[in-house]
Amino acid sequence: MTSRDSRADRRVGYARSLIDQGDLDGALSLLEQTLELAPDWLDLLILTGEIRAKLGLRAEAVAIFRHYLDLSTEDRHGAMLHLALLGAAPAPEVQQTSYVRALFDDFAERFDRTLLQSLDYQGPVLIAEATGNAPGGLGTVLDLGCGTGLVGERLRQHCSWLEGVDLSAGMLEKARDKKIYDMLHQADIATFLLEPPRLYDWIIAGDVLNYVGGLENVMTGISMALRSGGRAVLTVEALDSTGGAEGEVMRLLPTLRYGHSAAYVRAMAADARLVVLDQRTEMLRLEAGEPLASHIFTVERPSAGTAPAIGSSDLDPEPRINS
Ligand SMILES: C[S@@+](CC[C@H](N)C(=O)[O-])C[C@H]1O[C@@H](n2cnc3c(N)ncnc32)[C@H](O)[C@@H]1O
């Protein structure tokens, strides 16, 4: 995050150290002065909105996020999501791709180091375990939201074909450098799954569905892109561990990611005619130093002639999204 004004950059650096020390008021007053030097600096504007929201200055925060949306057509910073968290807009049913793309383009350079060294990311290990470490091989595999390829690296030796899809060009560049994918695509996963280039033996979705929101389209797409008897491993952030209310199926969290209940994933799988073979809850990684619980599902598209259980009787017909 830099402007074209070195004085403004220095002030933001100092404000960030104040934030780290917990001095939000001090940081806000410094950032407000800095905005006078660089009034069009959108990163800075959004930061002042976030601090106001944290300080409980709701009306001011809402005004800032709305002002941001007047200036930005793309909403790379998720102002709409902030408004939803403040109760000033409905939570989007499906996450905005411009926000996710920008987030991961910015993160790509530091992603592997941060996930593996600071956040103790367990996704690759847990997903490999969920595939049963595939005696005899996994066959053709599609890695949804492949990112830089941390899961792909782990699975590569078991795949006859490994294909990845991701929104972020920055993340895909890192994945391409690893030379582990047979093919990579820059696309939204729900759109990609509508017309997959082939059918897959396995589909993997590691730490990506929490950036998507509503899972109906993705789950239907997974079902359509699996060959008969093919399987998928999916992780979601466990809503139950992030304070979900009884019966709640999905929630936009303060992290601007979505949490999902296990019952919701089961219902979406059943609606897409996928059979749940396994469900476990594990620590996926750390979040602010605390373990972040994730549900890990293994589902199967039944072989032709096998009738899967259909329906989602344990849920409301209209899932609720809360923010
Ligand atoms: C936390 S990273 C996980 C990357 C990888 N699966 C792993 O486990 O290391 C989430 C990735 O999902 C991608 N992503 C999020 N939403 C997406 C969407 N709707 N379509 C495609 N990719 C998406 C992001 O760009 C990012 O690379």
Side-chain angles (χ1 to χ4, degrees):
M1 170 176 170
T2 54
S3 70
R4 269 158 284 160
D5 183 317
S6 58
R7 267 182 318 159
D9 290 348
R10 273 199 304 280
R11 285 189 190 187
V12 169
Y14 185 52
R16 285 205 175 279
S17 62
L18 291 178
I19 294 171
D20 291 343
Q21 291 159 33
D23 182 2
L24 294 182
D25 288 301
L28 183 59
S29 102
L30 190 57
L31 291 172
E32 275 168 347
Q33 294 164 28
T34 314
L35 259 183
E36 286 166 22
L37 295 174
D40 299 332
W41 193 4
L42 292 178
D43 303 79
L44 185 51
L45 194 58
I46 212 87
L47 188 55
T48 61
E50 286 170 6
I51 296 176
R52 282 187 171 87
K54 280 191 187 136
L55 286 170
L57 305 171
R58 181 183 174 280
E60 290 180 22
V62 166
I64 291 278
F65 293 130
R66 290 205 171 123
H67 178 51
Y68 170 96
L69 288 172
D70 289 340
L71 297 177
S72 157
T73 46
E74 239 200 332
D75 192 12
R76 297 173 82 250
H77 294 85
M80 275 304 289
L81 300 170
H82 284 293
L83 286 172
L85 282 174
L86 290 167
E93 169 77 20
V94 174
Q95 183 71 281
Q96 298 156 273
T97 51
S98 56
Y99 162 68
V100 176
R101 188 180 302 117
L103 179 74
F104 283 98
D105 280 349
D106 286 350
F107 195 11
E109 198 56 48
R110 296 168 284 126
F111 185 83
D112 284 11
R113 201 172 53 247
T114 306
L115 268 282
L116 297 177
Q117 290 174 17
S118 311
L119 302 183
D120 194 16
Y121 182 46
Q122 298 297 313
V125 175
L126 293 170
I127 289 169
E129 275 173 19
T131 63
N133 287 312
L138 293 170
T140 53
V141 177
L142 175 64
D143 187 358
L144 295 175
C146 61
T148 60
L150 288 179
V151 176
E153 279 177 289
R154 186 88 186 191
L155 299 182
R156 173 68 256 192
Q157 59 174 318
H158 304 296
C159 307
S160 60
W161 175 266
L162 179 60
E163 200 164 335
V165 53
D166 202 285
L167 273 177
S168 156
M171 297 292 271
L172 285 168
E173 197 182 317
K174 296 287 168 197
R176 197 166 289 116
D177 288 348
K178 290 180 182 165
K179 298 187 172 35
I180 50 171
Y181 289 93
D182 295 294
M183 200 172 274
L184 286 167
H185 310 265
Q186 186 179 7
D188 166 52
I189 57 175
T191 311
F192 180 87
L193 287 166
L194 285 177
E195 282 188 69
R198 55 186 55 75
L199 296 182
Y200 302 92
D201 295 306
W202 282 87
I203 295 180
I204 306 299
D207 205 16
V208 57
L209 301 180
N210 44 350
Y211 294 94
V212 171
L215 297 183
E216 194 177 348
N217 291 343
V218 171
M219 208 64 98
T220 305
I222 288 174
S223 183
M224 284 162 48
L226 280 174
R227 69 160 178 77
S228 177
R231 293 181 178 181
V233 179
L234 326 162
T235 74
V236 293
E237 271 183 48
L239 183 59
D240 358 353
S241 73
T242 45
E246 179 87 28
E248 193 181 2
V249 297
M250 181 167 92
R251 173 184 285 201
L252 177 62
L253 303 169
T255 53
L256 305 190
R257 301 188 303 262
Y258 288 82
H260 298 94
S261 75
Y264 174 66
V265 179
R266 285 180 164 274
M268 290 295 105
D271 288 351
R273 301 180 179 234
L274 293 165
V275 174
V276 175
L277 300 180
D278 188 48
Q279 177 201 329
R280 53 192 70 186
T281 305
E282 304 275 358
M283 183 203 91
L284 189 67
R285 60 178 171 76
L286 299 173
E287 173 84 27
E290 297 295 326
L292 180 78
S294 178
H295 297 309
I296 302 162
F297 286 88
T298 308
V299 299
E300 183 178 78
R301 178 178 167 185
S303 302
T306 323
I310 299 173
S312 44
S313 51
D314 52 345
L315 269 187
D316 293 345
E318 285 295 319
R320 282 185 292 134
I321 312 175
N322 294 312
S323 56

